[in-house]
Amino acid sequence: MNDELEAKRARGTSWKSIYETLRGEILAMTLQPGQLLDETTLAERFDMSRSPVREALIRLAGEELVVALSNRSTIVAPIEVGTFPKYVEALDIAQRMNTRLAAALRTDEDLKIIARRQKEFESAVRTGVHLRMSEANKQFHVAVAKAGKNPYLTSFYERLLNQGQRMLHLHFEYLERTHDGYLLTDEHNLMLEAIRDKDVERADELAHAHTRQFQANFINFLKENYTTDVSLSLSAAE
């Protein structure tokens, strides 16, 4: 009987609490890139069987936040500095296209949602909690993408935003330290204004500048904190 109850629990909501906790810790960099995630240790930590732990890790792997190795162990996904230029190239294209479409096709209801997401982002910035900031930032940009009415581009863009949340966390840290935090909300407000005015070219220009700003600040963060010989220049975001 106990086994049956445990099986039902594993299939129910138990994995969700593990998933949400680990996801938050990965995005907040509490769990560092490359850190080992041992199923037995996690099961003991959460006082659950290994089944919901395994399910949570599978979900995290689906978001590319963890990596399953050939020896069946799991680690927090590394942040691949060497692929950063290609990542930003894809982000730049997706961000510009979705923002252009939003400016062209948005409805009044879309505007209300985007404005609400921006208010939520501003509130998150005031807290100084990077995880809340990155989640609110993602929701703002997803709302913009949904206003563009192309679910394929929205899905691609959202995946890129998910992949970049840890880098965004470091980006926020850099902005706070250099006292450039005003950029976080001002750029979004300008994008919202362009979308409201249906100014497609202005929306494109601002989306491109938004990518460049993220790129420059993340590179500056790396230069300050790490030694790397990897070239991080990117022609698409020049």
Side-chain angles (χ1 to χ4, degrees):
M1 184 66 174
N2 288 337
D3 290 342
E4 291 179 5
L5 289 174
E6 178 61 30
K8 289 180 180 178
R9 186 183 184 196
R11 290 192 298 270
T13 61
S14 58
W15 66 266
K16 292 182 181 178
S17 63
I18 301 173
Y19 160 80
E20 290 169 357
T21 299
L22 293 179
R23 184 177 185 275
E25 292 176 352
I26 291 170
L27 294 178
M29 306 289 281
T30 304
L31 291 173
Q32 290 290 308
Q35 185 169 334
L36 178 67
L37 297 174
D38 178 66
E39 286 186 13
T40 301
T41 302
L42 290 172
E44 292 174 356
R45 173 187 171 185
F46 291 102
D47 192 26
M48 294 184 186
S49 71
R50 292 175 61 178
S51 294
V53 170
R54 192 173 297 115
E55 178 65 22
L57 293 177
I58 290 172
R59 303 277 176 158
L60 291 168
E63 295 183 23
E64 300 183 22
L65 291 175
V66 304
V67 177
L69 303 179
S70 57
N71 61 0
R72 296 189 178 182
S73 60
T74 302
I75 62 170
V76 177
I79 295 177
E80 300 290 352
V81 175
T83 62
F84 180 69
K86 291 298 183 183
Y87 170 79
V88 180
E89 185 175 32
L91 179 66
D92 185 51
I93 293 169
Q95 192 149 268
R96 293 172 69 180
M97 182 57 68
N98 279 290
T99 309
R100 285 181 66 92
L101 287 172
L105 301 174
R106 61 85 180 158
T107 64
D108 289 343
E109 183 60 30
D110 291 326
L111 275 180
K112 291 178 183 178
I113 296 171
I114 296 170
R116 185 162 62 247
R117 294 291 178 260
Q118 172 58 358
K119 291 295 183 184
E120 291 169 357
F121 178 66
E122 290 175 347
S123 296
V125 169
R126 287 194 292 270
T127 70
V129 179
H130 294 168
L131 182 57
R132 287 186 61 183
M133 291 163 65
S134 66
E135 289 285 355
N137 176 78
K138 183 182 75 173
Q139 293 306 319
F140 168 82
H141 286 290
V142 169
V144 169
K146 287 181 177 179
K149 316 303 181 190
N150 188 314
Y152 298 101
L153 288 173
T154 299
S155 177
F156 174 59
Y157 186 36
E158 187 170 7
R159 181 181 176 188
L160 289 172
L161 292 170
N162 286 334
Q163 291 174 337
Q165 273 190 271
R166 288 184 296 168
M167 289 183 282
L168 194 63
H169 180 96
L170 301 176
H171 171 243
F172 289 155
E173 183 179 315
Y174 176 82
L175 287 179
E176 285 186 353
R177 193 170 62 256
T178 56
H179 307 292
D180 284 336
Y182 70 92
L183 293 171
L184 299 174
T185 55
D186 285 4
E187 290 188 0
H188 281 188
N189 283 325
L190 290 172
M191 293 169 74
L192 173 58
E193 182 180 308
I195 293 169
R196 180 182 290 116
D197 294 342
K198 292 197 170 186
D199 189 336
V200 174
E201 295 307 317
R202 177 64 173 159
D204 186 320
E205 175 187 324
L206 290 166
H208 184 48
H210 201 52
T211 308
R212 287 205 314 270
Q213 187 249 3
F214 163 66
Q215 177 199 19
N217 287 326
F218 183 69
I219 290 173
N220 287 334
F221 174 88
L222 291 177
K223 287 178 177 177
E224 284 186 3
N225 294 276
Y226 302 97
T227 300
T228 177
D229 295 325
V230 177
S231 173
L232 297 176
S233 63
L234 177 67
S235 58
E238 293 295 335

